[in-house]
Each structure stands twice: as C-alpha cells, then as structure tokens.
Amino acid sequence: MADPLGLLRHAVAEHSLPKLLSSSDPFGPVVDDIARATHLAFPADPSVSPLPLSTQTRFVRKAGPNTTGGPIDLRAAYFCWICRDENVAQYIALCGEKDVVNLTFLERASLVTWLEGADEQSDYIVSDAGAAAATAQVVSEPKTAATTTAMPAEGAQMKAKMKVKKLVDPRLERTYARERVLFNRNTALRGIKQTDFSYVRKEAMESFMRSHNRSAPGAHQRGAPHDTSQRGASTVAAPAPSSGPSTKRRDPIILLSPSASSLLTMSNIKDFLERGTYVAAPPSSSTVNIQMINRTSNRLGQIRFVVVDSCERFKPDYWDRVVAVFTTGQAWQFKLYKWHNPHELFQKVKGFCVTFSGDPVPESVRAWNVDVVQVDKVHRFRDRETVEGLWDVLEKWMEVRGWSGRGKATM
C-alpha cells in the first residue's frame, strides 16, 4: 500500500497540490470543502489511486494530558499542510469548523517541516525500522494449526514479508527503537510561517537617521547664529520634529480583479460596498489605486477596509490582512499572489464573484470555494439588499477567524 505521508511530501516537492474528491473515482468532481471530501488524489503520482482521507499515516501523536496518542489520518495531515500559514487560533477554529483533528504547535511544526523537506526525520513519524520492529513482534507470536490452514491469499503475502523481516539484526532493531532526533534552541523555536522582515531593518534605519538629525547639536537651539557656509544646508534639510509615535492601522484588505470584464473596479467599489448602490464603471481606466471603505457592523464594530486591485507593492505581512478576493474566474489574476492555486487561495481568504442576475457563472468559479453575488441589471433599489448579504457572509467569515474587535488595532 502506498505511503500517504510519502505521497503528500512528493506532491509538495513537485508543487502539485493534491485534489479533494467526493468518491474514489480519480476522474470524479473536485471538492473544495474538506468536510465534504472522502478521498485525496495525487496528480504528482498518477499511478496511485485516490486514498481515503480516513487512511492512517505514520505520524503518531504522543499521549498527553489533553491529547490522545496514536496515528493521525490523512485528512488531519493534509489539512495541517494547507493551513500551515494560519496562526494557532485560526487553525483551531478551522479544525472545529471542518471537523478535523487539530495538532499541537510542536506537532504542526514538525509535520510541516518534514513535508516541505527541511528535515529528513521527525520525532512523530514512525520510521521503516520502527515498522520492522513491530512486524518482528508479530512474527515472534506462535501460530496454531488452525490459523495456519485458514490463512487466505493475502496472508501468504504477509508471511513472505515477515520472513524478510526476520533477517534484520535484533541488536540493530533495539538501537533504532531508542533513536531520537537531537535539536537545539533554533530548531525548537522555529515557526511554521516563513516571513521576510528585511523591510523592518530599512524602516528602523530611516527612523534612526531622522532621530539622529533632530538630536544633532545646534539643530533646535533658539537664537543660535546660523553658519550658512557649513551648516546652513543641513539645517534646512532637517525634518520637523515628530508630533507623536507613528500609528498604522491593521485594516483588513480586499483585493479586486484587475480584469476589464469585472463589474467592480476601483472607480465604483466605494459606491457598491459603502453606499449600497451599483454604478456602472466608466470605460476609461481609473487613476485611483486604493480605496478606504468604512463599515460599522454588530459583529466587528467600526472597522475600515483597504481595497486595492494589485498586490505588487505588498509587504509579506500584508497577506495576513487579506480577507476577501473578488474574481471573474480567470486564474491569471492570482499569478502574483502568495497562493497561486485557486483551491488553496480560497481556503485562506473569502472569495466572491459578482455577476449580473441571469448571466452565466464561469465554470472555474463553480469549481472554487467562491460565493456568487448577483446584481440586478435594472432595479437599483435591490442593490442595498444584495450588498448587505455580501457583508453578512464576509463578516461571519471574519468573526470566526478572530477579526471581531480588531478594527482599530495598531501594527
């Protein structure tokens, strides 16, 4: 039988994400929700049939005060991988929502590190030597004549495998059984999210230079004579003292589709989301590259959304703030996104596709985890109801992921 963890690791190495299926048919429809899926197909290994998500893996949890020891199934292992960028609170909430066994922080870190190939061993993954030791224990048990004569065809194959296992040196098995992976403080504290903090160093250097210029001798002395020959230029160039600490709001981000066929653009998104009215976008391209949408709701309180149609200037931590993506069903939109695969993207963020009522919905949108919002072509008084329905879906999604009360949080 194929090794589920080995197949999953090979799929990660080949950048070919497995597909969730609702049956064992490899050509069956793809399912976006892991709660409705029953099998997992591996495009990187087409010769392997889809495996049931209930298949036990070699990842064995250690029993603890709040955890039950034993192997985890393929569903928990795959869900841990696709949620590798979520924080602990979001991961636990998603596990409860999808009815998946949630792993502890150390278990997640160990499994994700092993799947991405950074480590060749894990304290939780049973090695082949461990499996051999378990098989040797089965071989050592006496067999009765009745069980020998009643052995089916698959039992004969198992007997042949057991005979091979007997050739393993017992002393070597005992050594492997006591083997453990040594790690230092760096590997123990290593997180599961890779974040580039190079921009922090640049901002810190700029802040230091501004502070140094303000504190230079004679820069702010009242009544001191100015030496225009040596210090005049630097005095003029010195920035004004800061009125207080810089505060940046961690506002949630909404990404629009830059496609020309999109009903919502930077020129009409504010009318739609904030005023509840759809206004046809002008044919000319808009010069506005950012919009601020103010929203007050019972779930999230007073919160401000940042709306953009491009992620070219995104810093790495901006992706933690993206809560919604509007799409027209064209996959090229996600080329520069952190998650290029639409199936993985719409597990991380909420997806919407806005169309006119009566217009056909793109087939790609039906295959993704995207909500279709239909706008009436004629009656504008129905726009408010449509927009409020969209906000209700998005706010529920954000509330589950801990955005409640974070509208005015600072960075």
Side-chain angles (χ1 to χ4, degrees):
M1 183 177 180
D3 177 23
L5 284 184
L7 292 173
L8 185 56
R9 188 181 188 185
H10 182 239
V12 172
E14 295 295 328
H15 302 285
S16 177
L17 193 68
K19 298 180 180 179
L20 294 170
L21 304 176
S22 58
S23 65
S24 59
D25 183 7
F27 304 102
V30 178
V31 181
D32 294 323
D33 191 356
I34 195 172
R36 296 187 290 109
T38 59
H39 288 72
L40 192 65
F42 298 89
D45 297 277
S47 61
V48 179
S49 302
L51 298 181
L53 288 174
S54 58
T55 304
Q56 299 295 311
T57 67
R58 295 187 293 115
F59 191 94
V60 181
R61 307 182 69 188
K62 296 177 174 58
N66 300 320
T67 59
T68 303
I72 65 173
D73 56 11
L74 182 57
R75 183 188 304 271
Y78 176 70
F79 196 69
C80 175
W81 171 252
I82 64 177
C83 294
R84 60 191 180 277
D85 294 324
E86 305 290 349
N87 59 39
V88 176
Q90 293 173 342
Y91 171 69
I92 294 176
L94 289 173
C95 286
E97 179 182 343
K98 304 298 182 181
D99 194 20
V100 179
V101 176
N102 64 290
L103 306 181
T104 64
F105 176 81
L106 291 179
E107 291 170 345
R108 285 180 66 198
S110 178
L111 180 56
V112 170
T113 304
W114 186 85
L115 288 176
E116 64 186 8
D119 285 341
E120 293 299 327
Q121 294 179 329
S122 171
D123 290 339
Y124 300 94
I125 297 178
V126 179
S127 62
D128 293 337
T135 306
Q137 182 178 359
V138 176
V139 174
S140 63
E141 296 180 357
K143 295 184 175 64
T144 61
T147 58
T148 304
T149 57
M151 180 179 294
E154 59 269 17
Q157 297 177 0
M158 181 62 71
K159 183 177 181 180
K161 294 180 181 180
M162 291 178 179
K163 190 174 297 183
V164 176
K165 297 298 183 182
K166 288 182 179 180
L167 301 178
V168 180
D169 189 346
R171 293 174 297 179
L172 186 60
E173 292 179 358
R174 290 194 296 268
T175 302
Y176 282 148
R178 292 175 173 83
E179 182 181 10
R180 65 186 181 90
V181 179
L182 298 178
F183 59 92
N184 55 27
R185 61 183 298 272
N186 293 326
T187 56
L189 297 177
R190 181 176 181 271
I192 62 175
K193 179 189 291 187
Q194 299 295 326
T195 306
D196 181 12
F197 291 103
S198 59
Y199 69 95
V200 178
R201 180 179 181 180
K202 180 180 178 181
E203 293 183 357
M205 181 61 68
E206 293 176 353
S207 177
F208 172 77
M209 294 303 297
R210 288 194 299 267
S211 176
H212 178 73
N213 291 336
R214 289 196 301 267
S215 60
H220 301 292
Q221 293 180 1
R222 297 183 178 179
H226 293 281
D227 186 357
T228 57
S229 61
Q230 299 179 2
R231 204 173 59 223
S234 62
T235 304
V236 175
S242 175
S243 59
S246 175
T247 59
K248 297 182 181 179
R249 296 163 57 95
R250 289 188 58 86
D251 300 324
I253 299 174
I254 297 176
L255 273 170
L256 298 183
S257 171
S259 173
S261 61
S262 177
L263 296 185
L264 296 180
T265 64
M266 295 301 297
S267 60
N268 66 354
I269 188 63
K270 193 173 184 68
D271 291 323
F272 187 73
L273 292 181
E274 193 171 89
R275 303 183 181 95
T277 302
Y278 174 75
V279 179
S284 59
S285 59
S286 174
T287 58
V288 179
N289 55 15
I290 187 172
Q291 289 280 15
M292 299 298 179
I293 306 296
N294 296 310
R295 173 73 178 171
T296 302
S297 69
N298 295 330
R299 290 189 177 90
L300 306 179
Q302 186 176 359
I303 190 169
R304 185 177 66 175
F305 291 82
V306 179
V307 182
V308 294
D309 61 355
S310 173
C311 62
E312 293 181 354
R313 298 184 179 182
F314 269 29
K315 295 179 181 179
D317 63 323
Y318 283 10
W319 288 104
D320 296 335
R321 297 161 51 188
V322 176
V323 296
V325 170
F326 285 79
T327 181
T328 57
Q330 298 165 303
W332 59 262
Q333 174 186 348
F334 320 124
K335 183 178 180 180
L336 298 179
Y337 284 19
K338 179 180 180 179
W339 305 284
H340 312 301
N341 190 300
H343 299 284
E344 184 179 7
L345 169 67
F346 293 115
Q347 292 286 347
K348 309 291 184 182
V349 303
K350 191 61 185 174
F352 294 101
C353 177
V354 179
T355 65
F356 282 127
S357 57
D359 288 358
V361 179
E363 291 297 329
S364 56
V365 171
R366 296 183 184 275
W368 302 339
N369 186 24
V370 173
D371 285 21
V372 178
V373 179
Q374 294 193 325
V375 178
D376 196 289
K377 290 184 178 181
V378 180
H379 303 96
R380 297 277 66 84
F381 66 89
R382 295 179 178 174
D383 292 346
R384 171 63 67 178
E385 181 181 358
T386 302
V387 174
E388 288 301 322
L390 185 152
W391 277 120
D392 185 63
V393 172
L394 178 58
E395 289 168 1
K396 286 181 180 178
W397 186 91
M398 294 176 62
E399 185 180 27
V400 172
R401 286 154 181 80
W403 277 94
S404 179
R406 292 171 55 183
K408 295 185 177 181
T410 58
M411 295 185 69

